[in-house]
Amino acid sequence: MHKLWAVIRREFQARVQTKAFVIGTVLGPVIMAFMVVLPVILNNRETEAKHIVVIDAASGQFGLKLERALAEARRGGGPQAIAKYAVTRVTATGRLKEVRDSLVRLTGLARDTVHRVDGLLIATDEALESGNVQYLGANVGSLSEMSMLGNIVEQQLLTERLERKGVDPVLVHEAQGHVDLKTSKITEGKETGESGGASFALAYVMSFLLYFSMLIYGIQVMSSVIEEKTNRIMEVLASSLTPFQLMAGKVIGVGAVGLLQLGIWVGTAMFLSANAVMIGGWFNMPPEAASQMPLPAISPSLLIVFLAFFLVGFFLFAAAYAAVGAMCNTMQEAQQYSTVLTLLVAASFISALSLFNEPSGALARTLSMVPFFAPIIMPVRYSLTSISWVEVLTSFTITFLGMLGVAWLAGRIYRIGILMYGKKPSFRELAHWIRAA
């Protein structure tokens, strides 16, 4: 046991004491917070109003209504809201082409605020009838900006159509109203207050962390075995430890590093979730905007499921990667053999993402019982919907038994492979190794 602990300590310290680990551990939460806060900051940033020229070639009040609606549009809410557009209306009845061509030549050229033209909105009777309103702008690639502009134009187009048909648009607008679907997650018969966006963000981040950790740390185990085998250090270690102790020490040592790093990241996520308003204040964000940040609450039961499946999943894949390292003499050879394992990890990650719409479906439940898929799929499902503990424990038990099976096969391959050099073994030779060990 003392020798096993020595291997575990060596593998743990060799990685934790490196600059790469410190930088990666620190940058992980920073990037996580940056990805959450940045979209809110950008959506609430103070930008200059875009200068739009409404070319009015329509009869009636359609062009005038567009001018007023655009001038009233605001970015943000409350007293700090700023004008979204600076609007100029140019009458072009009977001379649409000349006015249009002259303004096109000015659009996007001037840099000063006074003379700058960012876009042209053309109002005609034909557009009013067909609904095909033309906008010419220097920047039409922003889908969100074009969507907001389209909503304003659509509302005014509807108003003008109703008035021309003798229908009071105020009554129609009141009847239509505004629907804002507020989502809230229910877990175990209790409302959690977690929104749909927060639930999605949590599931996505969890699936990515599990995928990243199993892949990166599994490859580290494989490269460590190959390095010691190439440098002949393995022969010295094998003289004082059993092959299984060597493999177990490496897997547990690297797994402890991954668990430490994940623990730091999860703790940071829980801190961000509990202090969203305070963090938003650091960036001069109003409390309303800070409360909209998709920071989900991480329950203790979810944390237990996440860590439990990470451990069993990591040991499963790490043992397999260790066996691949024992079979090969160079990283080039190992990359060929480890492709299958890498594809399995990637397939489980992709499967988890594809099950977001139906986390309780038959396919999701089936994949949760497959050892190579369950470590990622089950925690993601648990974060999205209510799952009975019977199903969770069944999935964990099956995955744990699968881990033991993979560890048994990997141990037998590892026992012979670490002292074998030369050409890569064939599948027949691998079968012989397993029987001989």
Side-chain angles (χ1 to χ4, degrees):
M1 190 66 184
H2 176 72
K3 295 179 180 180
L4 175 62
W5 172 248
V7 177
I8 295 173
R9 186 177 60 222
R10 175 186 176 277
E11 294 293 334
F12 181 82
Q13 292 179 345
R15 287 165 175 79
V16 171
Q17 294 176 353
T18 61
K19 293 181 180 180
F21 176 82
V22 176
I23 294 173
T25 303
V26 173
L27 286 182
V30 171
I31 294 174
M32 185 190 312
F34 187 74
M35 292 175 63
V36 172
V37 174
L38 181 62
V40 181
I41 295 177
L42 293 179
N43 288 334
N44 292 275
R45 69 191 187 281
E46 293 186 4
T47 58
E48 293 183 353
K50 289 182 170 54
H51 187 192
I52 293 182
V53 177
V54 176
I55 303 177
D56 188 3
S59 58
Q61 303 295 312
F62 182 43
L64 180 60
K65 290 176 181 177
L66 283 177
E67 178 189 12
R68 291 174 178 172
L70 292 172
E72 294 173 357
R74 292 290 182 270
R75 188 186 302 276
Q80 297 180 346
I82 61 175
K84 189 173 182 59
Y85 304 106
V87 190
T88 302
R89 185 170 65 94
V90 176
T91 303
T93 305
R95 55 191 185 96
L96 175 61
K97 186 177 185 304
E98 293 80 2
V99 174
R100 176 184 180 278
D101 291 345
S102 63
L103 289 173
V104 165
R105 287 191 288 268
L106 300 176
T107 302
L109 296 181
R111 299 301 178 188
D112 60 285
T113 306
V114 177
H115 301 93
R116 189 182 71 227
V117 177
D118 295 307
L120 311 175
L121 188 62
I122 303 175
T124 63
D125 289 328
E126 292 78 6
L128 186 61
E129 294 297 327
S130 65
N132 297 322
V133 181
Q134 188 177 21
Y135 174 78
L136 309 174
N139 179 20
V140 295
S142 174
L143 299 181
S144 60
E145 290 286 342
M146 294 302 100
S147 177
M148 286 186 281
L149 179 62
N151 290 335
I152 295 174
V153 175
E154 181 182 6
Q155 193 65 37
Q156 299 311 310
L157 187 146
L158 176 61
T159 300
E160 182 66 18
R161 284 178 176 176
L162 291 173
E163 288 183 349
R164 292 193 180 192
K165 294 182 180 296
V167 181
D168 187 354
V170 176
L171 296 178
V172 176
H173 293 163
E174 289 179 353
Q176 286 180 327
H178 174 69
V179 178
D180 187 9
L181 188 63
K182 299 291 186 180
T183 59
S184 181
K185 183 180 177 182
I186 294 178
T187 301
E188 298 178 356
K190 298 179 181 179
E191 185 177 351
T192 63
E194 183 177 319
S195 66
S199 181
F200 173 84
L202 176 61
Y204 183 83
V205 171
M206 284 180 57
S207 61
F208 180 78
L209 284 178
L210 288 167
Y211 164 74
F212 175 83
S213 301
M214 292 180 190
L215 187 62
I216 297 301
Y217 287 113
I219 293 176
Q220 284 190 18
V221 172
M222 180 181 71
S223 61
S224 176
V225 174
I226 294 175
E227 180 182 0
E228 293 180 354
K229 186 177 177 180
T230 303
N231 296 333
R232 303 284 179 167
I233 300 175
M234 191 66 71
E235 298 176 2
V236 178
L237 295 174
S239 63
S240 57
L241 293 98
T242 66
F244 186 80
Q245 286 178 325
L246 280 174
M247 187 183 77
K250 286 184 176 297
V251 171
I252 296 174
V254 176
V257 176
L259 191 61
L260 173 62
Q261 194 169 58
L262 281 180
I264 295 174
W265 290 349
V266 171
T268 303
M270 296 178 71
F271 174 80
L272 293 175
S273 176
N275 299 275
V277 176
M278 180 186 70
I279 295 171
W282 298 346
F283 297 93
N284 297 322
M285 292 169 54
E288 298 80 7
S291 62
Q292 296 175 0
M293 291 191 295
L295 294 173
I298 303 176
S299 64
S301 60
L302 176 59
L303 183 60
I304 292 173
V305 171
F306 176 81
L307 294 178
F309 275 90
F310 163 74
L311 286 175
V312 71
F314 169 78
F315 289 141
L316 186 152
F317 281 102
Y321 274 110
V324 171
M327 291 160 44
C328 303
N329 299 307
T330 63
M331 281 299 298
Q332 289 77 11
E333 293 179 1
Q335 288 173 358
Q336 299 176 9
Y337 278 99
S338 64
T339 300
V340 176
L341 297 175
T342 303
L343 290 177
L344 280 174
V345 180
S348 61
F349 173 66
I350 295 172
S351 299
L353 297 182
S354 64
L355 296 175
F356 277 15
N357 294 329
E358 196 176 4
S360 298
L363 180 60
R365 293 196 303 270
T366 301
L367 292 179
S368 298
M369 302 301 164
V370 180
F372 286 98
F373 287 82
I376 293 181
I377 290 180
M378 180 53 77
V380 171
R381 287 185 59 210
Y382 192 86
S383 68
L384 290 171
T385 187
S386 298
I387 301 177
S388 67
W389 279 104
V390 174
E391 185 176 354
V392 174
L393 291 176
T394 302
S395 174
F396 180 82
T397 302
I398 293 175
T399 307
F400 183 79
L401 293 176
M403 180 203 71
L404 293 179
V406 171
W408 180 81
L409 285 174
R412 298 178 78 85
I413 295 174
Y414 193 89
R415 181 178 179 181
I416 297 178
I418 56 174
L419 300 176
M420 297 293 290
Y421 299 92
K423 68 181 185 69
K424 295 182 294 184
S426 63
F427 289 105
R428 178 177 296 181
E429 289 172 331
L430 286 178
H432 178 70
W433 288 5
I434 294 173
R435 290 195 303 268

